[in-house]
Amino acid sequence: MSRPSIHHIAIAVHNLDAALAFYRDALGLEVTERRQVDQEGVEIAFLPAGEGEIELLQPLDEKSGVARALNKHGEGLHHICLAVEDIEAAMERLRAAGARLLSEEPRVNVEGTRYVFVHPRSARGVLFELYEA
């Protein structure tokens, strides 16, 4: 089994267009995709950076998890996503180590990628997402 690698770093923002003024225009990162993800209640923009990418998240309404995080913590790091080969094996390893997962089974996004979030209390205050690569 290979070691996990960073897939993306997600940053919660109030306004995607305003955030792009920095990430795209000032830093010079290219936006490769921008779309709405109703399942998560966010609009996202992807900006590749090296082997991974930065994912900017703007909530679509006040009920989404990203909106709650913004209201509680303000703009900034939302989560770090790691790519894993076998999500079930990764979940079992985390459970065996006492980690709390935010769902019992992997969720599936619109592209068919299976993923799960690890509660921040299990990771020293950082929300982690695992993507099955």
Side-chain angles (χ1 to χ4, degrees):
M1 179 195 283
S2 68
R3 294 182 357 193
S5 62
I6 292 180
H7 185 274
H8 65 266
I9 297 171
I11 299 168
V13 300
H14 290 290
N15 182 297
L16 203 48
D17 291 321
L20 287 173
F22 175 75
Y23 289 94
R24 180 192 57 216
D25 303 340
L27 285 179
L29 297 173
E30 177 187 0
V31 177
T32 56
E33 184 179 359
R34 184 172 174 170
R35 63 183 157 89
Q36 189 168 307
V37 181
D38 294 326
Q39 175 181 341
E40 297 293 336
V42 293
E43 182 178 357
I44 56 179
F46 293 102
L47 302 100
E51 296 297 315
E53 55 190 356
I54 292 175
E55 177 184 65
L56 300 177
L57 306 166
Q58 174 187 305
L60 296 173
D61 59 50
E62 290 300 312
K63 293 182 266 183
S64 73
V66 173
R68 290 192 306 273
L70 276 169
N71 290 334
K72 186 174 183 178
H73 304 291
E75 292 187 315
L77 178 66
H78 184 265
H79 68 268
I80 298 172
C81 179
L82 298 176
V84 298
E85 285 182 4
D86 182 340
I87 199 158
E88 274 93 6
M91 291 171 72
E92 187 55 39
R93 181 178 178 170
L94 286 162
R95 285 186 187 110
R100 180 176 162 208
L101 303 177
L102 295 185
S103 60
E104 290 301 312
E105 298 295 325
R107 297 175 74 177
V108 180
N109 67 18
V110 295
E111 292 88 23
T113 302
R114 298 185 323 149
Y115 67 98
V116 68
F117 283 94
V118 180
H119 196 286
R121 288 191 190 118
S122 297
R124 303 297 186 257
V126 177
L127 178 63
F128 272 91
E129 179 181 20
L130 303 180
Y131 259 29
E132 187 170 64

